[in-house]
Amino acid sequence: MPPPSDIVKVAIEWPGAFPKLMEIDQKKPLASIIREVCDGWSLSIPENFALQYADNTNFYITEKNRNEIKNGAILRLATSPTQTAQGLHERIQSSSMDAKLEALKDLANHSRDITFAQEFINLDGISLLTQMVESGSDFGDMLSFTLTAFVELMDHGIVSWDTFSVAFIKKIASYVNKSATDVSVLQRSLAILESMVLNSYDLYQKVAQEITIGQLMPHLQGSDPDIQTYTIAVINALFLKAPDDKRQEIATILAQKQLRSIILSHVIRGNRTIHPEMAHQLYVLQVLTFNLLEDRMMTKMDPQDQSQRDIIFELRRIAFDADLEPTNSGSIEKRKSMYTRDYKKLGFINHVNPAMDFTETPPGMLALDNMLYFAQHHQDAYIRIVLENSSREDKHECPFGRSSIELTRMLCEILKVGELPSDTCNEFHPMFFTHDRSFEEFFCICIQLLNKTWKEMRATSEDFNKVMQVVKEQIMRALTTKPNSLDQFKSKLQNLSYTEILKIRQSERMNQEDFQSRPILELREKIQPEILELVKQQRLNRLCEGTCFRKISSRRRQDKFWYCRLSPNHKVLHYGDQEESPQGEVPHESLQDKLPVADIKAIVTGKDCPHMKEKGALKQNKEVLELAFSILYDPDDSLNFIAPDKHEYCVWTDGLNALLGKEMMSELTKNDLDTLLSMEMKLRLLDLENIQIPEAPPPIPKEPSNYDFVYDCN
C-alpha cells in the first residue's frame, strides 16, 4: 500500500459521460493511469488519449508536470497532444474558410501549452504558419489567429528566431506600416517584431531596414493603449539592440520625429490611466535615453585638445566678459595670472590648468557639457552664481566648478546612467518627457539648488561633502513625489529648504529614537513582542488578500499573470494563472492549484532561487535578483516568485517566514516595528510629559528601627 502522500484524489471528465472520481498513484506510470481510465469508459487505443486540466488553460499532464496535480483537481480525458497536433495541422490547410478559421482559433488556444507546442513544431508547424503569412491570402480574424498561434509557439523558446526568411519579416513589417491594419493583427505584428529584434542581431538588422521610426509614430497617436505600449516596446528594442555608434543616430531621428512630445501629449497626459506595462516601457525609454550620456560621462578631458580647452575659455568669457578685454594687452605672465585668478573664482580645484579637473570618470566631459549648457541657456543665473561667490571674502564662497563636477556625478548615480533597464521596474518620471534636453535642465535646476543650500548652511569648503549629502536628500525627496514637469520639480525643491530638511530629519529621528533611559528601554522590551505579533498578523492578512505576480520570460517581457493567496485558516496557499491583471482580490475557489503550508521545506531568496540559477538574462539583472524568492516543498520542487516591488517582496517573505515560525528579517518589518513601538511608547508616556524620568529607580529607604507602627483611626 503506497503512502498517502503519493495518492492524489481527482475527478476526471469525458464528454457525454458522468465524471469519474479516482485516486491517482503518483508512483504509477502515467500511461498505466490513462489506460485504466480508458478501460473504465471502454475506450480503445489508450495511446491516443491524454489527461488535461479541465480549466481555462487546458494544459496537458505529462510525467514532468504530474507532481503539480493537487487533491481535488478536475481533469479531462482528451486526445493526446500528438493526435491533436496532427489533426490541427491538417485542419488549418482546409479549403473551407470556416473550417480553417475554427482550426486556427483552436491552434491559437492550444499553442499556450508547451507539450502541444512541441508536437506541433515537430510537424514543421512553424514553417506552415510562416508560409500562410507570406502567401498573403489570409486577413482579418484568420490572420489574427495565425499570428497569435505563431507568437504563443515562439514564446516557448523551442525554435530559434534566426530561422525566418526576409519575406516573412517584410510581410510582418507591412502590417505595421499599413495605416488601416486590423488592431489585433497590428498588436501581434508589433509583438513579433519586438521579439525578433531582442532575440537576434541578424533579425535586428533586417527589421531595422523594413521599419522606420516615422512609420511607427502614427500608432502612438492612436487611441488604443495596447498598440501604444507595443509600439514603444518596438522602439525600445531597436534602441537597445542598436550598435553603440548607431544609438545616437536613432536618438536624433526620435528627436526629429518628436517622439517625446507625442508620448507626452498622447500617453502621459492622455485621459487614460497608465497601466504597469506602459509604465515599464516608458521607464525603459527613459533609461535608454539617459544611457546616451554614458559616452561623455566616461570620456576624460584631453588637456592638449584646443577645442575642449575653448569650452573652459567660453565659461570664463561669459562669466567675466573677458571678450571686452584686449587679448594682447600685457605680458604673457600677466595674462596667465589673470586666467588663474578667474579660474579660481569659477571654483575649479586646479586654478592653473582647470582641464585637469575633468580627467576623472565619471563624470568626465559630461560635467563640462552641463556647465556650458547652464552658462549658455541660463546665462543670468550662471553669471549671478559665479560673481556672487567670487566676490565673497569670508570663506563661504560656493565653488561652482567643483560643485558642478560633483553634482553631475551624483545625478548620474541617481538616474543610474550606464545601467541596463530592469525587467520589473515601472518607475518613470513624467518631467523628463517635458523637455528635449531634460538632463541638462535637471542639472541647471539642481546647481541653483546647491548654491541656495550652500548659503542656507553658511558652508565653507570643509563642509562640501555635508552640503552634497543635503542636496542629494533634497533631490531624492522631490523625485519621490513624481512631479509632472520640471517647474513642479523646481517648486518642490523650493519647499525643501535646508531648514525644512533639518525639521524632517529631527522628526524622523524622534520617531526612530526613543528616550534611552533604562525604564524606557525596559518598557520597550516589554511591549515589543506584542507589537511584533501585530506586524505578523498584518503580514498574514496581506497573504490572505493575495498578490498578482507577473510571469517574466528571458525572451521578452510578457503580459501573463498568476495570483497567489493564503487560505483564511493559514493552512494552504492557493495559486493559479490569470488572463489579465485582476482588479481587486481573486477568490481562492477560482485558483486551481494548492500548496499545503505543511509541505513547505524552506524559503530562499535571490541567487539561491531555482529560477535565478537558470541561464538567461534574468540572472544578470540585479533588481530582479533582489525581488526573487522561492518556496521549496515536497517532493523536491519549488514555487517561484518575482515580486512586483520591494514592498511586496518584504510582505511575502515576512509572511512566509511567519508561517514557518521563523523570524521576520526584512527592512520593512524593522521600520514597521520601530514606527509602531514609537507610537505605542508615546501614547503610554503621555501622562509623563515634561516630567524628567530618572536614569535609575529611586533608592529604597533603609528599614525602620522597629515596626511598632500605631495608627489612630479616630
Side-chain angles (χ1 to χ4, degrees):
M1 189 76 179
S5 60
D6 292 325
I7 300 297
V8 183
K9 296 180 179 180
V10 299
I12 301 177
E13 298 176 344
W14 173 252
F18 286 109
K20 183 181 291 188
L21 297 175
M22 260 191 92
E23 290 187 353
I24 292 179
D25 181 358
Q26 290 286 39
K27 287 190 174 180
K28 210 172 175 182
L30 194 58
S32 301
I33 295 168
I34 293 170
R35 186 178 298 109
E36 186 182 330
V37 174
C38 289
D39 290 344
W41 277 313
S42 303
L43 299 172
S44 58
I45 319 179
E47 293 77 14
N48 290 345
F49 295 92
L51 290 175
Q52 281 181 331
Y53 286 104
D55 54 18
N56 55 1
T57 64
N58 297 323
F59 286 173
Y60 282 103
I61 294 166
T62 64
E63 290 290 355
K64 285 184 178 179
N65 65 19
R66 63 183 294 178
N67 287 328
E68 296 174 12
I69 303 174
K70 306 300 178 186
N71 276 313
I74 301 174
L75 309 181
R76 180 189 300 122
L77 187 67
T79 54
S80 68
T82 305
Q83 293 288 317
T84 305
Q86 288 173 351
L88 284 173
H89 193 273
E90 293 170 8
R91 286 169 57 203
I92 62 176
Q93 300 178 72
S94 171
S95 57
S96 166
M97 289 295 105
D98 290 339
K100 186 176 180 180
L101 177 63
E102 198 61 34
L104 286 168
K105 187 176 180 180
D106 289 345
L107 177 62
N109 187 43
H110 278 88
S111 296
R112 292 179 298 166
D113 182 10
I114 190 169
T115 309
F116 167 84
Q118 185 69 67
E119 296 295 338
F120 188 78
I121 289 168
N122 289 342
L123 297 172
D124 211 14
I126 293 282
S127 297
L128 178 58
L129 292 178
T130 55
Q131 287 167 19
M132 291 167 63
V133 172
E134 287 173 21
S135 69
S137 57
D138 296 337
F139 52 88
D141 286 345
M142 199 171 290
L143 179 59
S144 174
F145 287 131
T146 304
L147 295 178
T148 302
F150 176 84
V151 170
E152 295 289 354
L153 290 168
M154 291 303 298
D155 273 349
H156 295 298
I158 299 169
V159 178
S160 169
W161 282 93
D162 288 311
T163 57
F164 300 109
S165 65
V166 175
F168 178 71
I169 298 169
K170 284 179 179 289
K171 201 68 186 176
I172 296 296
S174 71
Y175 299 138
V176 173
N177 293 336
K178 284 180 187 173
S179 56
T181 304
D182 179 80
V183 171
S184 58
V185 171
L186 177 58
Q187 187 173 318
R188 304 299 186 281
S189 299
L190 288 167
I192 291 168
L193 290 177
E194 181 200 2
S195 293
M196 284 180 171
V197 172
L198 290 177
N199 287 282
S200 166
Y201 182 70
D202 288 339
L203 286 183
Y204 155 74
Q205 292 177 310
K206 292 171 184 175
V207 170
Q209 290 173 355
E210 300 298 328
I211 293 287
T212 65
I213 301 297
Q215 289 164 328
L216 293 170
M217 288 299 122
H219 302 315
L220 282 175
Q221 294 169 297
S223 57
D224 190 306
D226 290 333
I227 297 299
Q228 290 176 325
T229 303
Y230 277 103
T231 302
I232 297 177
V234 172
I235 293 171
N236 285 339
L238 290 168
F239 212 153
L240 187 64
K241 290 299 176 180
D244 292 341
D245 57 333
K246 288 277 186 184
R247 284 185 188 171
Q248 195 62 56
E249 187 181 318
I250 292 176
T252 304
I253 294 170
L254 292 176
Q256 290 171 351
K257 299 296 180 182
Q258 298 185 319
L259 173 70
R260 179 196 59 75
S261 58
I262 290 172
I263 288 176
L264 184 65
S265 56
H266 290 87
V267 178
I268 296 174
R269 292 181 179 171
N271 296 322
R272 293 181 301 274
T273 304
I274 294 178
H275 294 292
E277 181 60 26
M278 173 61 87
H280 172 73
Q281 295 300 340
L282 291 174
Y283 152 78
V284 172
L285 182 60
Q286 173 185 294
V287 170
L288 294 176
T289 303
F290 284 141
N291 280 357
L292 293 171
L293 303 168
E294 185 182 12
D295 183 50
R296 294 294 282 173
M297 181 181 78
M298 300 308 293
T299 301
K300 295 181 179 181
M301 185 171 185
D302 180 2
Q304 307 305 318
D305 188 323
Q306 188 57 42
S307 62
Q308 294 179 3
R309 292 172 63 87
D310 286 345
I311 299 175
I312 298 176
F313 291 145
E314 180 67 6
L315 289 173
R316 175 182 172 276
R317 185 195 67 77
I318 294 172
F320 303 113
D321 281 331
D323 57 334
L324 298 179
E325 301 173 11
T327 53
N328 296 323
S329 63
S331 65
I332 295 175
E333 289 299 322
K334 186 177 179 182
R335 271 182 295 163
K336 276 187 177 180
S337 173
M338 183 176 64
Y339 285 165
T340 300
R341 182 198 66 205
D342 288 348
Y343 292 147
K344 184 178 180 180
K345 289 180 179 179
L346 278 169
F348 290 113
I349 297 173
N350 194 315
H351 308 151
V352 178
N353 186 6
M356 299 304 295
D357 287 12
F358 301 96
T359 54
E360 185 180 344
T361 59
M365 287 295 291
L366 184 60
L368 189 58
D369 294 342
N370 284 338
M371 293 167 72
L372 182 63
Y373 181 91
F374 181 49
Q376 291 179 337
H377 293 82
H378 299 270
Q379 197 170 108
D380 291 344
Y382 167 71
I383 293 172
R384 188 187 74 249
I385 287 174
V386 173
L387 296 184
E388 190 178 85
N389 287 288
S390 64
S391 60
R392 300 190 70 157
E393 296 294 338
D394 54 2
K395 296 184 180 179
H396 289 289
E397 67 276 3
C398 176
F400 173 73
R402 183 185 176 191
S403 300
S404 298
I405 293 167
E406 193 57 40
L407 179 64
T408 301
R409 180 187 290 110
M410 181 201 293
L411 297 184
C412 289
E413 287 176 4
I414 291 172
L415 298 177
K416 299 181 179 178
V417 174
E419 293 185 21
L420 286 175
S422 161
D423 286 335
T424 58
C425 186
N426 300 336
E427 296 294 317
F428 78 98
H429 293 280
M431 71 177 192
F432 291 130
F433 290 86
T434 62
H435 201 285
D436 289 326
R437 303 287 294 275
S438 58
F439 183 81
E440 289 86 346
E441 288 293 324
F442 186 42
F443 168 84
C444 293
I445 293 170
C446 293
I447 192 65
Q448 293 177 74
L449 167 74
L450 194 154
N451 187 64
K452 173 174 167 283
T453 302
W454 185 284
K455 288 191 290 185
E456 289 172 349
M457 292 177 69
R458 291 192 54 78
T460 62
S461 57
E462 287 80 12
D463 302 316
F464 186 83
N465 290 334
K466 288 181 184 177
V467 175
M468 296 309 297
Q469 287 172 5
V470 172
V471 169
K472 184 173 184 178
E473 186 174 344
Q474 290 170 314
I475 294 169
M476 295 298 289
R477 288 185 183 277
L479 284 177
T480 54
T481 64
K482 291 286 186 71
N484 289 319
S485 66
L486 290 163
D487 286 337
Q488 274 191 25
F489 174 68
K490 196 171 183 177
S491 65
K492 295 281 184 188
L493 290 176
Q494 290 293 332
N495 296 328
L496 284 169
S497 63
Y498 176 58
T499 306
E500 186 63 27
I501 290 293
L502 287 179
K503 286 180 182 177
I504 293 170
R505 285 179 174 179
Q506 184 178 5
S507 174
E508 290 178 349
R509 197 178 300 118
M510 286 179 66
N511 288 334
Q512 291 170 2
E513 297 177 9
D514 296 314
F515 303 110
Q516 296 302 307
S517 63
R518 200 172 80 187
I520 299 297
L521 293 175
E522 288 176 358
L523 177 61
R524 184 184 177 95
E525 287 176 12
K526 185 178 179 181
I527 63 177
Q528 183 164 324
E530 179 187 331
I531 300 298
L532 203 54
E533 183 62 27
L534 187 66
V535 174
K536 175 182 172 182
Q537 289 304 318
Q538 188 273 338
R539 298 293 190 267
L540 294 176
N541 289 340
R542 278 288 292 107
L543 263 61
C544 290
E545 292 172 12
T547 301
C548 181
F549 297 92
R550 185 184 292 274
K551 289 188 174 182
I552 296 181
S553 160
S554 60
R555 296 178 296 282
R556 68 179 179 90
R557 186 178 165 98
Q558 301 178 28
D559 290 320
K560 294 184 179 179
F561 305 89
W562 67 288
Y563 198 88
C564 187
R565 62 177 296 178
L566 180 66
S567 62
N569 63 6
H570 298 175
K571 291 185 177 180
V572 179
L573 282 171
H574 298 266
Y575 62 96
D577 291 342
Q578 300 289 306
E579 290 297 319
E580 55 185 24
S581 181
Q583 302 297 320
E585 291 182 28
V586 175
H588 57 80
E589 298 86 0
S590 66
L591 300 171
Q592 299 293 325
D593 300 310
K594 298 177 184 177
L595 171 59
V597 172
D599 289 350
I600 298 176
K601 285 182 176 179
I603 310 298
V604 294
T605 60
K607 292 180 180 179
D608 297 327
C609 297
H611 58 315
M612 291 294 106
K613 293 177 182 176
E614 297 168 3
K615 292 180 180 178
L618 290 179
K619 186 177 179 184
Q620 308 302 325
N621 196 307
K622 182 183 174 185
E623 288 194 36
V624 172
L625 276 174
E626 290 175 352
L627 298 175
F629 62 98
S630 296
I631 297 173
L632 307 182
Y633 61 92
D634 292 324
D636 294 330
D637 211 337
S638 63
L639 188 61
N640 300 317
F641 300 76
I642 295 178
D645 51 49
K646 194 67 179 175
H647 182 271
E648 287 296 319
Y649 170 85
C650 293
V651 166
W652 273 84
T653 51
D654 283 343
L656 292 169
N657 280 321
L659 275 177
L660 300 182
K662 296 181 179 179
E663 190 178 351
M664 298 181 291
M665 302 291 291
S666 78
E667 192 67 26
L668 183 63
T669 290
K670 182 178 178 297
N671 292 338
D672 286 352
L673 187 62
D674 287 345
T675 302
L676 292 171
L677 266 174
S678 177
M679 289 173 61
E680 183 67 20
M681 295 285 286
K682 287 176 181 177
L683 286 172
R684 295 198 182 195
L685 296 173
L686 275 176
D687 292 338
L688 297 179
E689 193 172 357
N690 297 325
I691 295 176
Q692 185 69 35
I693 299 175
E695 285 294 321
I700 299 172
K702 291 181 180 180
E703 290 187 18
S705 56
N706 64 69
Y707 291 87
D708 301 331
F709 300 126
V710 177
Y711 293 100
D712 188 356
C713 297
N714 299 320

